Amino acid sequence: MRLTHYLSTMRSDEISTIPVTLKWSKRVFVDQLYISPGSTDVASFREQVYKLTGVPEGRQKLLCKGAWKSLLRDDDDDEVFHNVGMKNRSKPLVVTLIGSADVLPEPPSTKIRFLEDLTSEELAQTETLEEQAAWEDAEGMIVALQKPPTDRDDNKKEEYQYNRLVRGLPQRHIEDLLRRRKNTASSFLGEIVMSMGLELRRAYINALSVLSDGTLVSGLDDGHVQMWRHGELQKDAIHDGNKDI
């Protein structure tokens, strides 16, 4: 009681430092911050808080019931800490900090450009680079079954209907099968990856051929000759066997 009474009757200039307990989120800092009435100002106190917590001065929201009203402001004069020394300080000053210590990202060194800002030449170059990267990452190019590498992200996990005439596995699944084939002794995996044509059509395929560009050609006994590329029917022509080709 004698010590408490003595502190309460001391003048502010006789109190060298006042200990501060800082509460920040779930952390509490005890006896690591101090206020010196008459010498500590708002800027220097914020700097202490920054060194202790890493919260930049501009993001610090400091509250202290009984010491200052609401949030501590940068334009508060030094009297705010001088007045602290005039009050009973038998206990540390309890200050609450609100703010994030996360480092804000640096602004980009170059100006961000959008697609609409690019010239036709720059757009063409960008598309070329994207296509080259896709080809480097791709596995195989079976023209009849696989789409170009830039169009293989079909966001499917199971077999689905590509279109009215084609049903098959997702493009990425086909690539995975081709990669797996590299590690097997046989060149056949026994997997059905795609079905082409109408299942209930009254015609049988009696001829198959692959052109030099990879196009799959199927000849049916009803005279239809069909050409398939990238999982789509490209052309369906009727061949009259009674006429010369």
Side-chain angles (χ1 to χ4, degrees), residues 16-18 34-46 48 77-82:
S16 58
T17 58
I18 300 171
Y34 297 91
I35 289 176
S36 299
S39 61
T40 301
D41 57 17
V42 175
S44 62
F45 184 66
R46 286 190 183 279
Q48 288 186 67
D77 56 34
D78 299 339
E79 289 295 316
V80 68
F81 294 119
H82 178 76

Side-chain angles (χ1 to χ4, degrees), residues 178-198:
L178 291 174
R179 289 189 176 96
R180 193 185 356 152
R181 189 181 64 174
K182 288 182 177 180
N183 301 320
T184 61
S186 173
S187 59
F188 295 98
L189 295 178
E191 297 275 355
I192 298 176
V193 298
M194 190 171 289
S195 300
M196 299 175 172
L198 293 175

Side-chain angles (χ1 to χ4, degrees), residues 158-216:
E158 299 177 349
E159 179 181 314
Y160 72 102
Q161 196 76 32
Y162 278 66
N163 49 64
R164 187 176 66 90
L165 298 175
V166 177
R167 183 177 182 83
L169 297 177
Q171 289 290 301
R172 291 302 183 191
H173 192 163
I174 296 175
E175 281 194 312
D176 292 340
L177 288 174
L178 291 174
R179 289 189 176 96
R180 193 185 356 152
R181 189 181 64 174
K182 288 182 177 180
N183 301 320
T184 61
S186 173
S187 59
F188 295 98
L189 295 178
E191 297 275 355
I192 298 176
V193 298
M194 190 171 289
S195 300
M196 299 175 172
L198 293 175
E199 186 175 354
L200 300 179
R201 183 166 182 165
R202 295 180 179 178
Y204 293 95
I205 297 175
N206 54 17
L208 281 175
S209 181
V210 178
L211 303 182
S212 59
D213 64 355
T215 301
L216 175 65

Side-chain angles (χ1 to χ4, degrees), residues 22 33 43-60 97 101 103:
L22 181 68
L33 284 177
S44 62
F45 184 66
R46 286 190 183 279
E47 185 178 359
Q48 288 186 67
V49 173
Y50 169 67
K51 291 179 179 179
L52 182 62
T53 65
V55 178
E57 289 91 332
R59 278 189 275 162
Q60 294 176 9
L97 167 66
V103 179

Side-chain angles (χ1 to χ4, degrees), residues 81-243:
F81 294 119
H82 178 76
N83 295 335
V84 168
M86 299 295 291
K87 299 178 181 180
N88 183 3
R89 289 302 160 211
S90 59
K91 295 182 179 180
L93 193 68
V94 179
V95 176
T96 300
L97 167 66
I98 301 173
S100 172
D102 295 338
V103 179
L104 293 174
E106 295 291 332
S109 57
T110 57
K111 182 181 178 182
I112 297 176
R113 300 181 67 192
F114 299 94
L115 287 176
E116 54 266 27
D117 299 327
L118 301 179
T119 64
S120 57
E121 290 79 7
E122 290 173 325
L123 280 173
Q125 184 179 11
T126 300
E127 293 173 356
T128 300
L129 292 175
E130 291 178 351
E131 186 175 353
Q132 289 176 352
W135 274 103
E136 290 175 1
D137 185 56
E139 183 68 34
M141 186 62 234
I142 303 175
V143 177
L145 307 177
Q146 293 179 279
K147 294 185 178 182
T150 52
D151 298 329
R152 291 183 185 177
D153 290 323
D154 42 21
N155 297 318
K156 302 291 184 181
K157 295 183 179 180
E158 299 177 349
E159 179 181 314
Y160 72 102
Q161 196 76 32
Y162 278 66
N163 49 64
R164 187 176 66 90
L165 298 175
V166 177
R167 183 177 182 83
L169 297 177
Q171 289 290 301
R172 291 302 183 191
H173 192 163
I174 296 175
E175 281 194 312
D176 292 340
L177 288 174
L178 291 174
R179 289 189 176 96
R180 193 185 356 152
R181 189 181 64 174
K182 288 182 177 180
N183 301 320
T184 61
S186 173
S187 59
F188 295 98
L189 295 178
E191 297 275 355
I192 298 176
V193 298
M194 190 171 289
S195 300
M196 299 175 172
L198 293 175
E199 186 175 354
L200 300 179
R201 183 166 182 165
R202 295 180 179 178
Y204 293 95
I205 297 175
N206 54 17
L208 281 175
S209 181
V210 178
L211 303 182
S212 59
D213 64 355
T215 301
L216 175 65
V217 181
S218 58
L220 288 76
D221 59 9
D222 62 358
H224 282 263
V225 177
Q226 298 177 330
M227 305 176 71
W228 305 88
R229 288 179 63 85
H230 308 310
E232 294 182 357
L233 177 64
Q234 298 292 313
K235 188 177 181 61
D236 186 357
I238 299 178
H239 170 62
D240 187 351
N242 295 324
K243 295 182 179 180

